[in-house]
């Protein structure tokens, strides 16, 4: 019975990965049909439109991205063009530029391209804004974000990479068993390996040359932009009643990252 269950889980996981790969290929094909307009094409396109038309389309883009952001789903350029930009493709760069300005000036957020190959965007805290909203990961507003914070903390404290079996064992100690349905998170394994991965908070990648196949977790592109490693270290220090500086490597990494972020922020002011 146990062997049949394991085989079923492996087949289900393999099917899910094949579907995911097929979906990504479709996404890439869709985006390949879009050609980024040149500066002269944008200018000619703007001459054919009224200021009100451009403002309206910019507002639609902002609204679309905000709705996606509620579920922390990255926005693909292909989807923006297909569902929002539509007949305004020739002025796409100008509309995105204005949308970025709106996010910064009105919401204190930055629209950032986290995947230059597939052209995917997310909203992150604008570090230049004194009223920037707190990161949903560092200030969890729901149980899932709290779970994510714990996972990111484990990965950081273990040097940036954690094998899947170690992650599951760690969560079991916290009474979150990926093999059982959780009253708050539902299917824990799916939340972690699918939802958090799609949101770009985590990377879930196969470890080369392993048999049976093993996977490992890393921080995703979104976490690198939204989450403070210094705050994670402070959290762990409070949790374990230990001086954060006692973790020499992590302390150095956390504060070198913080310094780099501050320098980058100053350069953009």
């Amino acid at each position: 019975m146990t062997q049949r269950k394991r085989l079923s889980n492996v087949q289900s996981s393999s099917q899910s990965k094949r579907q995911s790969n097929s979906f990504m290929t479709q996404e890439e094909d869709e985006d390949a049909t879009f050609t980024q307009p040149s500066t002269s094409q944008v200018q000619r396109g703007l001459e054919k439109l009224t200021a009100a038309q451009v403002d309206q389309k910019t507002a639609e883009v902002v609204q679309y991205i905000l709705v996606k952001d509620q579920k922390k789903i990255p926005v693909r350029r292909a989807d923006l063009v297909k569902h929002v930009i539509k007949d305004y493709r020739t002025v796409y760069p100008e509309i995105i530029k204005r949308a970025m300005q709106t996010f910064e000036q009105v919401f204190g957020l930055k629209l950032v391209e986290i995947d230059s190959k597939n052209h995917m965007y997310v909203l992150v805290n604008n570090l230049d804004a004194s009223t920037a909203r707190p990161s949903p990961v560092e200030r969890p507003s729901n149980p899932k974000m709290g779970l994510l914070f714990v996972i990111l903390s484990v990965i950081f404290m273990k040097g940036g990479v954690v094998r899947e079996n170690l992650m599951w064992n760690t969560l079991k100690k916290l009474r979150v068993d990926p093999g059982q349905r959780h009253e708050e998170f539902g299917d824990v394994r799916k939340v972690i390996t699918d939802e958090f991965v799609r949101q770009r908070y985590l990377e879930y990648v196969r470890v080369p040359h392993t048999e049976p196949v093993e996977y490992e977790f890393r921080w995703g592109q979104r976490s690198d932009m939204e989450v403070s490693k210094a705050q994670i270290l402070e959290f762990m220090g409070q949790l374990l009643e230990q001086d954060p500086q006692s973790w020499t490597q992590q302390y150095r990494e956390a504060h070198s990252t913080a310094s780099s972020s501050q320098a980058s922020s100053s350069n953009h002011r």
Side-chain angles (χ1 to χ4, degrees):
M1 181 68 178
T2 302
Q3 289 178 340
R4 286 200 298 271
K5 184 176 180 181
R6 287 176 179 171
L7 179 60
S8 175
N9 288 339
V10 170
Q11 290 174 336
S12 176
S13 177
S14 299
Q15 182 180 7
S16 176
K17 290 181 176 62
R18 285 197 299 270
Q19 291 174 342
S20 176
N21 290 337
S22 174
F23 180 65
M24 289 303 295
T25 301
Q26 180 182 355
E27 287 183 346
E28 292 172 2
D29 289 344
E30 289 177 2
D31 196 66
T33 64
F34 176 77
T35 302
Q36 183 82 350
S38 65
T39 303
S40 58
Q41 288 175 322
V42 173
Q43 188 58 44
R44 288 196 297 271
L46 288 173
E47 291 173 355
K48 298 177 182 179
L49 299 170
T50 66
Q53 286 176 312
V54 177
D55 288 343
Q56 175 61 33
K57 188 56 62 174
T58 299
E60 291 175 11
V61 167
V62 169
Q63 180 65 26
Y64 180 85
I65 294 174
L66 285 173
V67 169
K68 289 289 185 181
D69 184 63
Q70 290 177 0
K71 295 185 178 181
K72 313 309 294 180
I73 299 175
V75 177
R76 297 188 306 123
R77 182 178 69 181
D79 287 337
L80 274 175
V81 172
K82 180 179 179 180
H83 300 298
V84 188
I85 299 295
K86 298 179 181 178
D87 297 333
Y88 289 70
R89 294 186 177 203
T90 56
V91 294
Y92 173 84
E94 178 64 23
I95 291 173
I96 288 298
K97 176 184 175 182
R98 295 189 184 197
M100 288 180 170
Q101 292 173 344
T102 300
F103 283 123
E104 290 200 28
Q105 296 169 5
V106 178
F107 299 98
L109 303 172
K110 280 188 177 181
L111 183 63
V112 179
E113 186 179 66
I114 60 170
D115 186 340
S116 58
K117 178 182 178 181
N118 298 308
H119 303 287
M120 305 185 79
Y121 300 90
V122 298
L123 288 174
V124 299
N125 291 334
N126 183 351
L127 299 179
D128 294 329
S130 59
T131 58
R133 66 176 181 178
S135 164
V137 179
E138 295 171 7
R139 295 287 189 274
S141 57
N142 63 65
K144 281 186 181 179
M145 288 294 102
L147 173 63
L148 176 59
F149 186 80
V150 170
I151 293 171
L152 293 175
S153 298
V154 172
I155 296 172
F156 174 60
M157 298 305 291
K158 292 293 184 180
V161 182
V162 172
R163 289 289 178 103
E164 181 178 20
N165 61 344
L166 175 59
M167 182 63 73
W168 299 150
N169 288 335
T170 301
L171 292 178
K172 285 178 183 178
K173 293 177 183 178
L174 300 175
R175 299 181 180 179
V176 179
D177 190 338
Q180 299 179 0
R181 189 165 187 83
H182 193 274
E183 61 180 356
E184 287 281 3
F185 313 125
D187 188 333
V188 177
R189 189 183 298 269
K190 184 176 181 180
V191 168
I192 296 172
T193 63
D194 182 20
E195 186 173 330
F196 290 160
V197 172
R198 282 190 293 110
Q199 294 171 345
R200 293 305 195 272
Y201 279 122
L202 293 176
E203 289 183 2
Y204 178 58
V205 297
R206 178 176 177 175
V207 180
H209 315 300
T210 53
E211 187 62 41
V213 174
E214 294 183 38
Y215 289 84
E216 62 188 15
F217 291 100
R218 301 171 183 266
W219 278 34
Q221 299 149 312
R222 190 181 206 130
S223 294
D224 284 328
M225 294 181 179
E226 283 194 3
V227 183
S228 164
K229 292 177 179 177
Q231 187 166 7
I232 279 184
L233 200 57
E234 181 181 344
F235 165 76
M236 294 302 295
Q238 294 174 351
L239 183 66
L240 302 176
E241 297 183 350
Q242 190 169 332
D243 185 349
Q245 295 190 46
S246 64
W247 292 292
T248 309
Q249 180 180 342
Q250 288 88 344
Y251 187 84
R252 186 183 304 115
E253 180 181 350
H255 288 275
S256 65
T257 302
S259 298
S260 299
S261 298
Q262 291 174 355
S264 175
S265 175
S266 299
N267 291 336
H268 287 86
R269 288 177 181 174

